Structure formats: C-alpha cells, structure tokens
Amino acid sequence: MRVATWNINSAKARQARLIEWLDRVQPDVVCLQETKLSDAAFLELFDEDLFRRGYRVAHHGDGRWNGVAIFSRAGLDDVEAGLADGPGFPAPEPRALAATCGGIRIWSLYVPNGRAVDDPHYAYKLTWLAALRASVEKALTTAPVIACGDFNIAPTDADLWDPAAFAGATHVTDAERRALRELTDLGLVDVMRRRWPDEQVFTYWDYRALMFPKNMGMRIDLLLTSDNLVDRVRAVWVDRQARKGTGTSDHAPVIVDLDEAPDGDIGPMVPPPSPPRAASTRRRAPGGPGRTGAGRTAPGRHRAGPDTAGPGVTKPDVTSPDAADTGTLEAGGTDTRAN
C-alpha cells in the first residue's frame, strides 16, 4: 500500500497538478492539508476525477485557510473530523481528519503554525498538539496508526538548511520539539529518518528568494507510523518532482510504501537536488570600466545575461537545473506560514 501526505496549499489552485500527480504516482491513500475549501466545494471540484480513479473521499474544511482531506482506494471507514476535546482559535479549526484505510488508522494533520513564540497562536499550537497526542494514544489501542501531514515542526536542526536562520523562531523551539517527542514516545516512528538517518531531507521551501533551486528548505511534513508497521516499510521518499515548475505548492509530497515498493527503495528526495555550482567568472572586456560599446556595460546599468536578471537585479551565485523552478511567489502560490 502506498500512502502519501501533501500540503497542497490550495486544492483549487493545484487541481490540474494534483490529478496529474495521482496518475503519475498512483498512491493508494492520500492525505492533503491546506485545501482551503469547504466540504461542498472540494467535492464539486474533485468528486468525479477521484471517483473515476477509484478513490473514496473524506474532507474537513470551512473554505478558509485550513482544510484536510483523505482519499483512499484501500477503504475509507470510521471517518472522524477534528480532535476530541481539541482547542479552538477561538473556534475549532478543520486541521485533523482520521479514517481507517486497509486496516490502518490514518490521520491527515495540519498542525497550527504558531506564528511567533509570544503570539497566542503559539500557545494554541502546543495545546492542539497535546489534544492530538490524546487522540492518537486512544487510536493506538485499536489499530496500527499512521499520523502524517504538515506538523510545522522541524524535529531536529538536521532538518533545517541553516539552523542559525531560525534562531528565536517557531518550528524549532524546545517546547514544540518536546511536544513532537511526546507524540512519538507513544510508539510512533519517523520512518523517513529511520530509513535515511544521515541524509539531508527537506519537504518545504519558501516561495521567495529562490529557496527551492538553492535547496534552502525545512523538513516539517512527517510520516509517523506505529512501530508495528515499521517492518512493512519498503521505501519512503520526498517527491521533489511535484515541487518543480510554476504554480506549485511550497511543499512536496512525502510517500511511504508498505509491503512492496513498485519503484524500488528510492529516496530520500526524488529527483535529488542538483549540487550547487559556483557562478562562472568572466574576463573583463577590453576598454575598462565606464566605456560603452559592444560587450560593455554603461555606468549604473546591468546588462541582462548569465549573471543578471535584468536591470539592477543580480542573480544568485548558485546555478543548477532546478534554477528554472522559480523561487519567487508563483502564479497561484501564496505564502501561508502564518497559518
């Protein structure tokens, strides 16, 4: 059974990409986060496409910033929206959805962002994680569990492109990481790190500043399985291909294969990031600075070319085949780290 989780960052904006991805990857169970649709709107957009592909669908959303979904070709039973005794901000938000698929209790989770350590949203995040722990603890008494989604927590500094860049920010605080450990201490295993303990693995890259082609990311989308599923894992990887191009989500899907791996034991990121190359150096054209003519640049202007992106804009000193996958805010893309 192939299970995938993906923060889609607007299911409506990614509709065509999502359907293409389903046909390419052929997952049996898909957990989506940040659908940003009401239940009725999600079904109106996707019901026919998913039905024709053999999926049953559950969605929990109110049409605003959140929204989670599960669709499955391995059964979809005992659907449960929200967390028992879960907190609100101020009302409960559509951030958790559970269903039993192929005998496994699967959760699609969109953990609150926290915003800033002195923001009420941060306290809400920690309270929400405590409620999640209680719900998962109860579920573990009856069935194997997969808890997956956008946790908005980097488990360790190894899951950050530059730990210093996150000093004092959410996603990396001791309290958030402790809450995550309290969840895994129930008997959940971070299967990505179990399979790839020493590899650099990211699942999220900001739209801005060419973060994706420079591979300046975070691993905050997690697949946690109960320990009685670990021996069934055959492959686990991040589908970087889904992050390439324009109009993408800022997250990539995370995928686990249980019992068999149709594509082999691939990973940890597919395709892997291109290694950075230093920008080429060019010999100064004859004539010295300040002179114009063929091959020269007038004072105060920058000629578009290999080292520039137009007047006054300097390209980064990192080039790779991923450079075409622009890191600027793409069509249909919105930066929603505050949610």
PDB file of all heavy atoms in Angstrom, residues 25 61-62 64 86 100 124 137 166 171 217 260 265 335:
ATOM      1  N   VAL A  25       1.964   8.981  -9.754  1.00  0.00           N
ATOM      2  CA  VAL A  25       2.474   8.309  -8.558  1.00  0.00           C
ATOM      3  C   VAL A  25       1.616   7.111  -8.156  1.00  0.00           C
ATOM      4  O   VAL A  25       2.115   6.159  -7.554  1.00  0.00           O
ATOM      5  CB  VAL A  25       2.585   9.329  -7.407  1.00  0.00           C
ATOM      6  CG1 VAL A  25       3.045   8.679  -6.114  1.00  0.00           C
ATOM      7  CG2 VAL A  25       3.560  10.447  -7.799  1.00  0.00           C
ATOM      8  N   GLY A  61     -13.314  20.849   5.933  1.00  0.00           N
ATOM      9  CA  GLY A  61     -12.860  22.210   5.663  1.00  0.00           C
ATOM     10  C   GLY A  61     -13.997  23.196   5.747  1.00  0.00           C
ATOM     11  O   GLY A  61     -15.173  22.831   5.678  1.00  0.00           O
ATOM     12  N   ASP A  62     -13.619  24.469   5.896  1.00  0.00           N
ATOM     13  CA  ASP A  62     -14.625  25.527   6.003  1.00  0.00           C
ATOM     14  C   ASP A  62     -14.445  26.606   4.942  1.00  0.00           C
ATOM     15  O   ASP A  62     -15.087  27.647   4.991  1.00  0.00           O
ATOM     16  CB  ASP A  62     -14.614  26.145   7.398  1.00  0.00           C
ATOM     17  CG  ASP A  62     -13.262  26.737   7.786  1.00  0.00           C
ATOM     18  OD1 ASP A  62     -12.393  26.872   6.897  1.00  0.00           O
ATOM     19  OD2 ASP A  62     -13.067  27.070   8.975  1.00  0.00           O
ATOM     20  N   ARG A  64     -11.677  28.331   4.297  1.00  0.00           N
ATOM     21  CA  ARG A  64     -10.709  29.393   4.599  1.00  0.00           C
ATOM     22  C   ARG A  64      -9.294  28.841   4.509  1.00  0.00           C
ATOM     23  O   ARG A  64      -8.959  28.149   3.561  1.00  0.00           O
ATOM     24  CB  ARG A  64     -11.046  30.005   5.959  1.00  0.00           C
ATOM     25  CG  ARG A  64     -12.381  30.773   5.930  1.00  0.00           C
ATOM     26  CD  ARG A  64     -12.684  31.431   7.267  1.00  0.00           C
ATOM     27  NE  ARG A  64     -13.026  30.441   8.284  1.00  0.00           N
ATOM     28  CZ  ARG A  64     -13.300  30.739   9.550  1.00  0.00           C
ATOM     29  NH1 ARG A  64     -13.252  32.001   9.960  1.00  0.00           N
ATOM     30  NH2 ARG A  64     -13.622  29.785  10.414  1.00  0.00           N
ATOM     31  N   GLY A  86     -10.407  18.982  21.307  1.00  0.00           N
ATOM     32  CA  GLY A  86      -9.397  19.844  20.712  1.00  0.00           C
ATOM     33  C   GLY A  86      -9.690  21.315  20.958  1.00  0.00           C
ATOM     34  O   GLY A  86     -10.854  21.723  21.038  1.00  0.00           O
ATOM     35  N   THR A 100     -10.050   4.877   8.709  1.00  0.00           N
ATOM     36  CA  THR A 100      -9.399   3.574   8.654  1.00  0.00           C
ATOM     37  C   THR A 100      -9.332   3.125   7.201  1.00  0.00           C
ATOM     38  O   THR A 100     -10.358   3.012   6.524  1.00  0.00           O
ATOM     39  CB  THR A 100     -10.156   2.550   9.504  1.00  0.00           C
ATOM     40  OG1 THR A 100     -10.189   2.998  10.866  1.00  0.00           O
ATOM     41  CG2 THR A 100      -9.473   1.187   9.456  1.00  0.00           C
ATOM     42  N   TYR A 124      -1.686  28.083  21.438  1.00  0.00           N
ATOM     43  CA  TYR A 124      -2.721  27.262  20.793  1.00  0.00           C
ATOM     44  C   TYR A 124      -2.089  26.038  20.125  1.00  0.00           C
ATOM     45  O   TYR A 124      -2.610  24.908  20.221  1.00  0.00           O
ATOM     46  CB  TYR A 124      -3.461  28.134  19.778  1.00  0.00           C
ATOM     47  CG  TYR A 124      -4.307  27.418  18.762  1.00  0.00           C
ATOM     48  CD1 TYR A 124      -5.321  26.538  19.139  1.00  0.00           C
ATOM     49  CD2 TYR A 124      -4.113  27.659  17.397  1.00  0.00           C
ATOM     50  CE1 TYR A 124      -6.110  25.905  18.180  1.00  0.00           C
ATOM     51  CE2 TYR A 124      -4.901  27.035  16.436  1.00  0.00           C
ATOM     52  CZ  TYR A 124      -5.894  26.154  16.831  1.00  0.00           C
ATOM     53  OH  TYR A 124      -6.672  25.545  15.890  1.00  0.00           O
ATOM     54  N   GLU A 137      -3.142   8.376  21.100  1.00  0.00           N
ATOM     55  CA  GLU A 137      -2.945   7.363  22.141  1.00  0.00           C
ATOM     56  C   GLU A 137      -4.151   6.424  22.203  1.00  0.00           C
ATOM     57  O   GLU A 137      -4.002   5.199  22.318  1.00  0.00           O
ATOM     58  CB  GLU A 137      -2.724   8.036  23.490  1.00  0.00           C
ATOM     59  CG  GLU A 137      -2.418   7.070  24.618  1.00  0.00           C
ATOM     60  CD  GLU A 137      -2.072   7.767  25.914  1.00  0.00           C
ATOM     61  OE1 GLU A 137      -2.558   8.900  26.116  1.00  0.00           O
ATOM     62  OE2 GLU A 137      -1.314   7.186  26.728  1.00  0.00           O
ATOM     63  N   PHE A 166      16.959  30.250  11.892  1.00  0.00           N
ATOM     64  CA  PHE A 166      15.688  30.052  12.582  1.00  0.00           C
ATOM     65  C   PHE A 166      15.769  30.363  14.075  1.00  0.00           C
ATOM     66  O   PHE A 166      14.824  30.082  14.810  1.00  0.00           O
ATOM     67  CB  PHE A 166      15.211  28.609  12.381  1.00  0.00           C
ATOM     68  CG  PHE A 166      14.936  28.273  10.950  1.00  0.00           C
ATOM     69  CD1 PHE A 166      15.952  27.781  10.129  1.00  0.00           C
ATOM     70  CD2 PHE A 166      13.685  28.463  10.398  1.00  0.00           C
ATOM     71  CE1 PHE A 166      15.715  27.477   8.806  1.00  0.00           C
ATOM     72  CE2 PHE A 166      13.436  28.154   9.072  1.00  0.00           C
ATOM     73  CZ  PHE A 166      14.452  27.670   8.276  1.00  0.00           C
ATOM     74  N   HIS A 171       8.680  26.641  15.079  1.00  0.00           N
ATOM     75  CA  HIS A 171       9.031  25.429  14.334  1.00  0.00           C
ATOM     76  C   HIS A 171      10.259  24.723  14.896  1.00  0.00           C
ATOM     77  O   HIS A 171      10.486  23.559  14.568  1.00  0.00           O
ATOM     78  CB  HIS A 171       9.271  25.697  12.839  1.00  0.00           C
ATOM     79  CG  HIS A 171       8.067  26.155  12.086  1.00  0.00           C
ATOM     80  ND1 HIS A 171       7.318  27.250  12.466  1.00  0.00           N
ATOM     81  CD2 HIS A 171       7.465  25.674  10.964  1.00  0.00           C
ATOM     82  CE1 HIS A 171       6.327  27.425  11.619  1.00  0.00           C
ATOM     83  NE2 HIS A 171       6.384  26.468  10.698  1.00  0.00           N
ATOM     84  N   GLY A 217      15.717  24.587   2.537  1.00  0.00           N
ATOM     85  CA  GLY A 217      14.403  24.141   2.961  1.00  0.00           C
ATOM     86  C   GLY A 217      14.339  23.687   4.399  1.00  0.00           C
ATOM     87  O   GLY A 217      15.255  23.868   5.192  1.00  0.00           O
ATOM     88  N   GLU A 260       5.311  -3.621  -0.387  1.00  0.00           N
ATOM     89  CA  GLU A 260       6.044  -3.684  -1.640  1.00  0.00           C
ATOM     90  C   GLU A 260       6.317  -2.269  -2.126  1.00  0.00           C
ATOM     91  O   GLU A 260       5.565  -1.344  -1.832  1.00  0.00           O
ATOM     92  CB  GLU A 260       5.284  -4.478  -2.695  1.00  0.00           C
ATOM     93  CG  GLU A 260       3.928  -3.918  -3.050  1.00  0.00           C
ATOM     94  CD  GLU A 260       3.226  -4.732  -4.126  1.00  0.00           C
ATOM     95  OE1 GLU A 260       3.873  -5.627  -4.704  1.00  0.00           O
ATOM     96  OE2 GLU A 260       2.046  -4.469  -4.399  1.00  0.00           O
ATOM     97  N   ASP A 265      13.552   0.797  -3.684  1.00  0.00           N
ATOM     98  CA  ASP A 265      13.891   1.517  -2.453  1.00  0.00           C
ATOM     99  C   ASP A 265      14.533   2.847  -2.826  1.00  0.00           C
ATOM    100  O   ASP A 265      15.738   3.041  -2.725  1.00  0.00           O
ATOM    101  CB  ASP A 265      14.831   0.663  -1.608  1.00  0.00           C
ATOM    102  CG  ASP A 265      15.145   1.307  -0.260  1.00  0.00           C
ATOM    103  OD1 ASP A 265      14.427   2.243   0.140  1.00  0.00           O
ATOM    104  OD2 ASP A 265      16.120   0.867   0.377  1.00  0.00           O
ATOM    105  N   ASP A 335       2.186  32.479   0.294  1.00  0.00           N
ATOM    106  CA  ASP A 335       2.995  32.126   1.444  1.00  0.00           C
ATOM    107  C   ASP A 335       2.106  32.119   2.678  1.00  0.00           C
ATOM    108  O   ASP A 335       1.632  33.142   3.101  1.00  0.00           O
ATOM    109  CB  ASP A 335       4.129  33.140   1.592  1.00  0.00           C
ATOM    110  CG  ASP A 335       5.091  32.748   2.688  1.00  0.00           C
ATOM    111  OD1 ASP A 335       4.948  31.635   3.227  1.00  0.00           O
ATOM    112  OD2 ASP A 335       5.987  33.558   2.996  1.00  0.00           O
TER     113      ASP A 335
END
